[in-house]
Amino acid sequence: MNRTTLSLIAGATALAAVTGFAAVTSPDTSAPDTTATAAELPVERTSLTCPTPSVSDLAETTYTSFTPVTKGTGSDGKAELRPAVTESTDGEDAKDGKDGKDGKTGKASGKGDKDGKGEKEAKAFLTAKEPGKPLAEDVSGSDSPALVGTADGKFAPGWTVQQTTEVAAGTGRGLLGAACTAPDTDFWFPGASTAADRTDYVHLVNPDDSAAVVDIELYGRDGALETTTGEGITVAPHSDDPVLLSTLTTEKLDNVTVHVSVRSGRVGASVQALDDKLGGDWLGASVDPAGSLVIPGIPKDATAVRLIAFAPGDADADLKVRLASPTGQITPAGNETLHLKAGMTGAVDLGDVMRGEPGSLVLTPTGRSVPVVAAVRVVRGKGAGQETAFIPATRPVGTRATVVDNRAKGTTLSLTAPFGAAEVKVTASAGSEGGTPATKSFTIKAGTTQQVEAPVPSGLKGTYALTVESVSGGEVHGARTVTDAQDGVSAFTVQTLPDDRGTVAVPKADQDLSVLQQ
C-alpha cells in the first residue's frame, strides 16, 4: 500500500468522523427498513424556455408567469424571464449565433462593465412578485425575442409560464398558445408537416452558456425522410434557432413526425405549425413513447379531428382507438383500431367525431404493448373562419398541474379519468390585476371526459391560473381551451395539464458510525 493510498484512506476517515455521513449497509431484518422511505420535498430550482412567438408585425403576445403556493418552501427565491440573448459590453449586437443578431430584437444596449470587456446578462423581461398570483406582460409585433428563465426557492415548485399570441391576418393567423417548456435532450412531435400550404418551424432554445448540438429526424408515411442539414445543428448559447422543416427535405407531406435529439447540451424544443388557410398554433412534444396514451380535451365543437401517431422502435404497433365522452368510452365508427408500422408515421381522419360533446382519445394496445407517440390536429369553424390547434398525448395531472392565462370568458377545462373514477380539486388563483381565489372539487367517472365548470376568482381583474390536484382514485388527464372570436375566425388554443413535478422524492438516510470501526 503506497503513501497516496494511505493518505486517501486517512482523509476519507476524517471526513466520515466530521460529517457522520449516511452509508448503505446490509439491512437489519429484525428492524423496520426506514431508509427506503422517501420524503416528498419541493424542488429548489426550475428552468423554462419560451420560443420566439411570431415573425408577424400584427402579433400581440402576452406572457403569464405563475407559481402555486407550495408547503415546505422557504421565504426566499425569485423567478425571472430574460431574452435568450447576451448583451455585448463593447457595443456589439445581441449575440445568438446569427451574425450578432437575434433576428427579432435588433441591437443590444451595449452597456459595459468597468473594464469594458466581457458580456452582460440581458435585462430581465419579467420578474415574479409572489407565489399564488399570476403576473402578465404584453409585447407587440415581431420584435419579441425568445425567453429563458429560472425560478428558485419558493418560486420554483410548479413554476408555469404561458405565451399566448394573437395574429390578426396572414399565414398562421388566429390564437397561438404555448406553455414554456423545460430544457431536455429528447422530443417527439407527431403532427408536423412539410406540405406546400404549411410553414412549420422547429424552435430550439438553448438556455445555457455553452453551445448545444442537435439532430432533427423526420419520419413520413414510408419511414425516415432523407434530410440535407438536419444533423449536427449547433445552437449557440442563449439563443433560439428556428429551423424551417421544408428546408430539411424535398418531400412535401401532410403528416410528419419530428424527432429532436441532443448530442451535447440541452434545449427547449417546440414546433410552430402555420397553415395558409387553417390558421396555426404551437405543437408541443408528445409524452415519452409508451404503450398506452391519452390525448385529453378535444373541444366539443371541433369540425375535424386528425390523429397522428408514430412507433419509434423496431416493432409494429396495433392500437385500440377509444373516445372518452361524457357518458363513457365509445369507438369511432370505422376507426376501431390503428396499425402503425415501425418507423412510419400513421394518420387517420376522424372527421366531426365529437358531435357536440367534449372528449379525449384513449389509445391502448390490442395485444403486445409497443411504445408510441401521438397527437391530434383539431379544426374549429367553417370555410374562411377555420382555425387549428394541436393536442399532444400527455402525462396525467399526477399530484398537481397548472395552466395559466385563463380569461373570464372563453376558458373551458376538460378532465378525463380514462381507467378509473377519480376526485380532483381545482383552484382558481387570484387575478393578475385583482380578485380572490376560489376552489371546487369534482368527481370524474371512469372512462369519461367532463367539461367542468371551473371556478373563477371573485372580483376577477385580468387573467388567472387554474391548478388541478389529484385527491383520490385513478389517474386524471386534463386540457384547457381558450377561445377568442376574431373577425369571424374561430380562434382558439389548447394546452394540456401534465404533472408540474414540483416535488421530488428524497430518500431518508440514517447515520451509521459503524463504518468508522475497523
Side-chain angles (χ1 to χ4, degrees), residues 427-491:
T427 301
S429 74
S432 56
E433 299 174 17
T436 304
T439 299
K440 287 184 179 180
S441 294
F442 301 93
T443 297
I444 313 300
K445 294 181 179 179
T448 70
T449 294
Q450 305 296 327
Q451 183 174 300
V452 302
E453 187 177 344
V456 177
S458 59
L460 171 65
K461 293 182 180 180
T463 63
Y464 63 100
L466 283 171
T467 298
V468 181
E469 299 174 82
S470 295
V471 176
S472 63
E475 67 182 46
V476 174
H477 297 251
R480 183 280 314 269
T481 301
V482 173
T483 59
D484 183 14
Q486 301 176 357
D487 297 327
V489 175
S490 300

Side-chain angles (χ1 to χ4, degrees), residues 286-293 309-312 317-319 340 363 370-374 393:
S286 171
V287 68
D288 291 341
S292 297
L293 299 175
F310 179 77
D318 288 287
L319 301 171
L340 296 175
L363 308 178
V370 175
V372 297
V373 293

Side-chain angles (χ1 to χ4, degrees), residues 188-196 198-204 214-220 225-230 233 241-260 269-274 283 390:
W188 291 96
F189 300 96
S193 175
T194 58
R198 282 273 289 271
T199 306
D200 286 17
Y201 292 89
V202 179
H203 283 254
L204 307 171
V214 178
D215 293 333
I216 299 177
E217 300 168 312
L218 306 180
Y219 298 90
L225 304 182
E226 184 177 349
T227 58
T228 53
T229 57
I233 298 172
D241 190 357
V243 180
L244 181 60
L245 293 186
S246 60
T247 64
L248 300 182
T249 180
T250 58
E251 297 193 47
K252 303 298 181 182
L253 298 175
D254 287 330
N255 306 300
V256 172
T257 298
V258 179
H259 182 213
V260 174
S270 49
V271 171
Q272 190 177 43
L274 310 175
L283 168 60
F390 296 86

Side-chain angles (χ1 to χ4, degrees), residues 1-17 21 515-516 518:
M1 183 178 296
N2 59 36
R3 182 173 300 175
T4 301
T5 305
L6 289 171
S7 299
L8 288 173
I9 293 175
T13 303
L15 178 62
F21 62 82
V515 298
L516 303 179
Q518 299 297 325

Side-chain angles (χ1 to χ4, degrees), residues 31-343:
D33 182 8
T34 58
T35 59
T37 347
E40 291 288 335
L41 299 179
V43 299
E44 297 180 352
R45 186 177 177 86
T46 300
S47 298
L48 293 175
T49 64
C50 309
T52 303
S54 180
V55 295
S56 172
D57 291 333
L58 303 177
E60 300 287 338
T61 300
T62 298
Y63 292 92
T64 309
S65 168
F66 177 77
T67 296
V69 176
T70 304
K71 293 181 180 179
T73 61
S75 58
D76 298 329
K78 64 179 181 179
E80 290 183 336
L81 287 171
R82 297 176 181 272
V85 294
T86 51
E87 295 181 7
S88 173
T89 58
D90 60 3
E92 293 179 357
D93 291 346
K95 295 183 179 181
D96 78 340
K98 296 181 180 179
D99 300 326
K101 297 180 180 180
D102 65 3
K104 304 290 181 295
T105 58
K107 292 186 177 182
S109 68
K111 295 179 181 179
D113 52 20
K114 292 182 179 180
D115 60 7
K117 297 180 181 180
E119 292 181 345
K120 179 183 176 182
E121 190 174 30
K123 181 181 178 181
F125 167 78
L126 182 153
T127 302
K129 296 181 179 179
E130 58 180 301
K133 183 179 180 180
L135 179 67
E137 292 286 350
D138 298 329
V139 292
S140 299
S142 59
D143 292 335
S144 307
L147 301 175
V148 297
T150 56
D152 57 26
K154 65 181 180 180
F155 289 96
W159 186 41
T160 303
V161 178
Q162 164 92 9
Q163 66 176 49
T164 307
T165 303
E166 296 184 17
V167 179
T171 297
R173 56 93 180 100
L175 196 63
L176 295 81
C180 297
T181 60
D184 207 338
T185 59
D186 197 67
F187 304 86
W188 291 96
F189 300 96
S193 175
T194 58
D197 55 358
R198 282 273 289 271
T199 306
D200 286 17
Y201 292 89
V202 179
H203 283 254
L204 307 171
V205 183
N206 180 1
D208 297 325
D209 294 332
S210 57
V213 180
V214 178
D215 293 333
I216 299 177
E217 300 168 312
L218 306 180
Y219 298 90
R221 59 177 177 261
D222 297 320
L225 304 182
E226 184 177 349
T227 58
T228 53
T229 57
E231 294 186 359
I233 298 172
T234 299
V235 185
H238 304 287
S239 73
D240 177 17
D241 190 357
V243 180
L244 181 60
L245 293 186
S246 60
T247 64
L248 300 182
T249 180
T250 58
E251 297 193 47
K252 303 298 181 182
L253 298 175
D254 287 330
N255 306 300
V256 172
T257 298
V258 179
H259 182 213
V260 174
S261 57
V262 184
R263 296 189 196 178
S264 63
R266 58 179 189 158
V267 299
S270 49
V271 171
Q272 190 177 43
L274 310 175
D275 193 284
D276 290 343
K277 298 180 180 179
L278 300 178
D281 208 345
W282 290 95
L283 168 60
S286 171
V287 68
D288 291 341
S292 297
L293 299 175
V294 179
I295 304 173
I298 303 174
K300 63 182 181 181
D301 57 353
T303 54
V305 177
R306 175 181 295 174
L307 169 64
I308 308 99
F310 179 77
D314 298 327
D316 293 358
D318 288 287
L319 301 171
K320 295 179 184 177
V321 180
R322 299 291 183 268
L323 179 67
S325 72
T327 56
Q329 292 193 9
I330 60 177
T331 301
N335 294 294
E336 296 84 0
T337 61
L338 175 63
H339 177 71
L340 296 175
K341 293 184 178 180

